[in-house]
């Protein structure tokens, strides 16, 4: 049978033309055309309401499509007064929804949903802080900060999330000395289940430490105050190295560069290393993206030679040119974070930094026992912080993320990779697939019981809970 590529030399030319960055496929930031990258994302609520008008009722689903629910109503308040009034009416249950980029059923409900789409945008700023409404998408926030000569210290690798949702789930980027997004939060406005407006800041440090990563169960976050930096440029370098060679130097690269991460390409023996460093120049270099084409080619290689892993590795060794590299220069937010059109499902855990390389070796070995795997594995560094439910609570960490394409089996990401994460004391990403029990979580998070007590105090009737959270908290 002829392979799906026109010929081997043609595929090699494809690799050569795309360069190393394209090998990372849909997991590398997609460089959108400028006219698209500057547009605001369509609101979640309008999408839901339009879908409802065409059918018989409301139906919400997450980005990848594996979590769905039928809420009784989707409310889109335009100010705090509307949210306060709703909470004071004592609804039986309510969940606040962001962009739906979590793979766990954090917001699923058959009662009322609150979307903060209409509470978006920068409120005010100083030379080193910004106040922003809770429903602001990271893409919108980055652009509005740039207009004010400011920028976030770090960003995750996608920018569709709302700021409230991103910090609630401990969303993070990469960098040995760079913590997760919530670590730069210095204040929040929170409307509790009782309709009380709380100001969380340095005057109430315990409340702030709990509210930074809350899974949306302490109240509705209407405003976030954060530390920011003067806007800055970065230069990116992407190159390929044999996996073992890169694993040996990964800690050194993380120390040397502001941002370092790598993606392992299953059944190839190669990993793509990515660094970002501060750049004082003003020139821009943004190679055209062909990430989606390469992801399709990696899938085709799997489809054609998946039953023969040795042949697959041999083909990869002939088709991949590891002498090429890609370089880019631009504003920080245009390189660090963007949108992804290819959908997938994901599990991610954060292990103590000292165990990161050992853990990822075992994860890769386990992944490659399954011939259907083709999506790259992502490995990042994250600095410790003090938020009670942060996976990085008082612990410098390495984050390891595994993926399965939309429409393909993904249970093994939890059932087979999960035990390896547990072996290395991994803490789960709250928005990614996992099966950690409340008893396990209590052992992993030193302030777990303190958080549960505060949650019970702020929401004694459990109005901000759903079945997933009740199971998570052992309620």
């Amino acid at each position: 049978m002829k392979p799906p590529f026109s010929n081997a030399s043609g595929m090699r030319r494809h690799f050569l033309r795309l360069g190393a960055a394209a090998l990372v496929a849909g997991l590398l930031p997609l460089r959108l055309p400028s006219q698209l990258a500057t547009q605001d994302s369509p609101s979640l609520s309008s999408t839901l309401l339009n879908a409802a008008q065409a059918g018989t009722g409301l139906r919400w689903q997450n980005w990848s499509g594996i979590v769905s629910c039928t809420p009784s109503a989707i409310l889109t308040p335009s100010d705090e007064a509307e949210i306060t009034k709703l909470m004071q009416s004592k609804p039986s249950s309510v969940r606040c929804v962001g962009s739906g980029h979590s793979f766990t059923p954090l917001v699923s409900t058959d009662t009322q949903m609150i979307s903060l789409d209409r509470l978006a945008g920068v409120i005010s700023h100083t030379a080193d802080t910004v106040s922003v409404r809770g429903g602001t998408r990271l893409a919108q926030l980055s652009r509005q900060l740039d207009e004010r000569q400011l920028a976030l210290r770090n960003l995750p690798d996608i920018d569709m999330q709302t700021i409230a949702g991103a910090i609630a789930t401990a969303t993070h980027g990469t960098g040995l000395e760079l913590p997760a997004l919530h670590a730069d939060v210095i204040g929040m406005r929170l409307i509790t289940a009782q309709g009380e407006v709380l100001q969380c800041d340095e005057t109430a440090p315990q409340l702030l430490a709990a509210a930074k990563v809350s899974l949306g169960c302490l109240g509705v976050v209407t405003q976030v105050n954060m530390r920011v930096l003067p806007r800055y440029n970065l230069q990116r370098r992407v190159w390929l190295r044999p996996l073992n060679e890169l694993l040996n130097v990964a800690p050194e690269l993380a120390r040397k560069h502001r941002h370092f991460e790598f993606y392992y390409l299953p059944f190839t023996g190669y990993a793509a290393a990515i660094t970002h460093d501060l750049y004082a120049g003003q020139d821009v270099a943004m190679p055209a993206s062909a990430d989606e084409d390469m992801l399709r080619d990696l899938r085709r290689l799997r489809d054609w030679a998946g039953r023969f892993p040795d042949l697959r590795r041999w083909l990869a060794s002939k088709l991949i040119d590891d002498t090429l590299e890609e370089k880019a220069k631009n504003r920080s937010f245009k390189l660090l974070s963007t949108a992804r059109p290819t959908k997938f499902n994901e599990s991610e855990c954060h292990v103590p930094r000292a165990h990161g390389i050992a853990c990822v070796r075992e994860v890769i070995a386990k992944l490659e026992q399954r011939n259907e795997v083709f999506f790259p594995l992502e490995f990042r560094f994250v600095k410790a912080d003090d938020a009670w439910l942060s996976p990085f609570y008082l612990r410098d960490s390495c984050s390891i993320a595994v993926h399965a394409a939309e429409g393909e089996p993904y249970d093994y990401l939890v059932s087979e990779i999960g035990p390896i994460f547990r072996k290395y004391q991994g803490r789960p990403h709250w928005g990614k697939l996992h099966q950690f029990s409340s008893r396990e979580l209590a052992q992993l998070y030193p302030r777990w019981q303190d958080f549960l007590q505060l949650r019970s105090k702020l929401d004694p009737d459990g109005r901000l809970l759903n079945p997933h959270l009740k199971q998570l908290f052992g309620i």
Side-chain angles (χ1 to χ4, degrees), residues 112-283:
Q112 296 180 98
M113 272 186 171
I114 296 178
S115 166
L116 299 181
D117 283 338
R118 295 172 66 193
L119 277 97
V122 169
I123 300 169
S124 63
H125 70 281
T126 69
D128 56 4
T129 65
V130 65
S131 295
V132 59
R133 295 179 180 87
T136 310
R137 306 295 174 106
L138 295 181
Q140 179 187 5
L141 175 56
S142 292
R143 292 194 303 274
Q144 292 187 357
L145 286 175
D146 188 65
E147 292 168 358
R148 294 161 172 81
Q149 312 291 310
L150 300 171
L152 294 173
R153 177 164 53 153
N154 201 3
L155 280 164
D157 53 10
I158 55 174
D159 61 3
M160 300 296 290
Q161 308 101 312
T162 63
I163 185 63
I167 63 175
T169 53
T171 298
H172 63 95
T174 189
L176 194 76
E177 297 299 325
L178 297 172
L181 203 60
H182 62 264
D184 281 328
V185 173
I186 56 176
M188 304 166 63
R189 284 178 66 84
L190 190 74
I191 302 180
T192 71
Q194 309 301 312
E196 180 183 4
V197 180
L198 297 181
Q199 183 67 43
C200 311
D201 54 29
E202 70 280 359
T203 64
Q206 298 296 296
L207 177 60
L208 180 60
K212 284 181 179 180
V213 180
S214 69
L215 313 187
C217 68
L218 297 186
V220 179
V221 176
T222 59
Q223 180 177 321
V224 178
N225 305 326
M226 301 183 68
R227 287 184 291 265
V228 292
L229 300 175
R231 70 181 184 183
Y232 58 97
N233 294 337
L234 292 173
Q235 56 182 349
R236 175 171 62 206
R237 177 178 175 236
V238 187
W239 71 101
L240 284 174
R241 283 293 179 271
L243 173 65
N244 287 330
E245 179 181 321
L246 188 57
L247 289 178
N248 289 336
V249 299
E252 177 186 350
L253 290 170
R255 287 190 293 270
K256 182 178 178 181
H257 298 279
R258 188 179 195 269
H259 308 262
F260 168 73
E261 61 189 313
F262 72 79
Y263 294 82
Y264 175 63
L265 313 178
F267 293 99
T268 69
Y270 282 92
I274 307 169
T275 60
H276 289 89
D277 290 292
L278 294 174
Y279 178 64
Q282 297 301 313
D283 54 313

Side-chain angles (χ1 to χ4, degrees), residues 388-445:
W388 289 0
L389 289 196
S390 169
F392 319 108
Y393 179 77
L394 303 185
R395 195 173 84 177
D396 293 337
S397 302
C398 288
S399 296
I400 303 170
V402 290
H403 313 77
E406 176 193 24
E408 297 196 359
Y410 57 86
D411 291 352
Y412 68 92
L413 299 178
V414 173
S415 61
E416 297 182 16
I417 306 302
I420 301 175
F421 288 148
R422 286 179 170 86
K423 174 182 174 181
Y424 289 95
Q425 299 177 307
R427 294 171 178 167
H429 188 304
W430 297 116
K432 311 293 177 67
L433 297 167
H434 71 88
Q435 288 182 342
F436 283 81
S437 68
S438 59
R439 183 163 58 180
E440 288 177 301
L441 294 170
Q443 296 173 345
L444 289 169
Y445 290 85

